[in-house]
């Protein structure tokens, strides 16, 4: 089956969420218009989610909330569990950047449950990373390490390098919080090696 115009635009928008949120916003709005015209409710939800992400990475968090909830409503209606899990993760990240770590943790847990129910192993790895990040942010570093180590094992199994570098960075932060600097340095050095393997840079994406 050929991709719809909305699907193509949404995919391109997703690829630009963090690197170019302005372009993501532009593409997602075009996707939204196409989804409405073509009658594709799922792609409408994807467009709302992309718009939410474009606002998140532009630090416009109130607007990010608004569009995330519209996407969540659609994916709930469609029982699209992995897509719903992605939105829960986005909302968790919004709360994280608001330093509301309890609500961030709650949203990441919801994301995990949806991914698990949908047998989405890559998604479960992503959710565990979010949970681990929330725990080290509230200084519950042992719990953080437990979740991040599980995520790391899944990343290695799936060869998920982009997620793996974020998990290693999180482990470095958690061990730093525990003042276990040798372990922190080991994970941060491994993080740099993974980033170099991805694109030759030394910056966590």
């Amino acid at each position: 089956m050929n991709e719809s115009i909305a699907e193509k635009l949404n995919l391109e928008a997703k690829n630009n969420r963090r690197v170019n949120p302005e372009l993501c916003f532009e593409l997602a709005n075009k996707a939204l218009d196409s989804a409405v015209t073509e009658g594709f409710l799922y792609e409408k939800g994807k467009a709302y989610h992309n718009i939410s992400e474009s606002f998140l990475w532009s630090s416009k968090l109130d607007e990010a909330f608004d569009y995330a909830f519209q996407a969540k409503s659609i994916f709930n209606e469609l029982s699209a569990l992995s897509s719903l899990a992605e939105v829960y993760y986005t909302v968790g990240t919004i709360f994280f950047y608001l330093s509301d770590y309890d609500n961030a943790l709650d949203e990441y847990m919801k994301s995990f449950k949806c991914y698990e129910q949908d047998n989405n192993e890559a998604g479960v790895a992503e959710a565990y990373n979010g949970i681990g990040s929330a725990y080290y942010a509230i200084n519950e570093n042992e719990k953080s390490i437990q979740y991040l180590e599980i995520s790391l094992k899944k990343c290695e199994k799936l060869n998920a390098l982009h997620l793996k570098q974020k998990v290693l960075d999180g482990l470095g932060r958690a061990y730093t919080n525990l003042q276990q600097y040798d372990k922190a340095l080991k994970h941060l050095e491994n993080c740099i090696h993974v980033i170099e393997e991805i694109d030759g840079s030394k910056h966590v994406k």
Side-chain angles (χ1 to χ4, degrees):
M1 183 181 294
N2 292 330
E3 288 180 313
S4 69
I5 294 172
E7 187 177 358
K8 290 178 181 177
L9 288 165
N10 270 324
L11 181 59
E12 191 175 352
K14 183 176 182 179
N15 290 335
N16 281 282
R17 286 174 175 177
R18 297 184 68 164
V19 295
N20 192 339
E22 294 82 6
L23 178 58
C24 174
F25 178 80
E26 179 184 336
L27 292 166
N29 273 287
K30 290 179 179 177
L32 181 59
D33 290 341
S34 293
V36 171
T37 300
E38 295 170 317
F40 293 143
L41 184 59
Y42 178 78
E43 293 302 330
K44 183 178 178 182
K46 284 290 188 183
Y48 281 141
H49 188 201
N50 279 323
I51 294 170
S52 173
E53 286 271 341
S54 75
F55 281 127
L56 167 60
W57 299 113
S58 301
S59 300
K60 299 176 181 177
L61 301 184
D62 287 340
E63 293 92 336
F65 267 127
D66 290 342
Y67 281 93
F69 285 124
Q70 292 184 72
K72 187 164 64 173
S73 177
I74 289 173
F75 295 139
N76 260 320
E77 179 182 342
L78 296 173
S79 298
L81 290 174
S82 285
S83 294
L84 181 59
E86 288 182 30
V87 180
Y88 280 131
Y89 195 94
T90 295
V91 175
T93 303
I94 296 169
F95 278 123
F96 189 94
Y97 283 111
L98 288 169
S99 300
D100 186 346
Y101 302 118
D102 288 339
N103 275 316
L105 184 58
D106 184 57
E107 295 296 320
Y108 290 144
M109 287 289 190
K110 291 176 184 176
S111 177
F112 160 71
K113 289 175 183 176
C114 286
Y115 278 132
E116 185 179 48
Q117 190 175 346
D118 210 26
N119 297 312
N120 185 331
E121 192 169 6
V124 168
E126 183 84 41
Y128 276 140
N129 177 60
I131 294 166
S133 298
Y135 274 128
Y136 74 63
I138 59 176
N139 218 31
E140 292 196 32
N141 297 292
E142 290 83 0
K143 283 185 179 179
S144 172
I145 290 166
Q146 288 176 3
Y147 280 99
L148 292 174
E149 287 287 0
I150 296 171
S151 181
L152 181 60
K153 288 178 182 177
K154 290 183 179 295
C155 288
E156 290 169 347
K157 176 183 176 182
L158 298 166
N159 196 31
L161 295 180
H162 283 86
L163 178 57
K164 183 178 179 180
Q165 48 104 10
K166 292 191 284 186
V167 175
L168 287 166
D169 180 69
L171 283 164
R173 292 170 187 265
Y175 279 116
T176 298
N177 288 346
L178 290 169
Q179 299 183 352
Q180 296 182 24
Y181 299 118
D182 288 346
K183 289 183 178 179
L185 183 60
K186 173 189 169 185
H187 285 91
L188 292 172
E189 287 177 341
N190 287 339
C191 176
I192 291 172
H193 293 325
V194 172
I195 295 167
E196 290 175 336
E197 187 176 348
I198 295 170
D199 63 9
S201 74
K202 295 182 184 293
H203 302 287
V204 177
K205 304 296 189 296

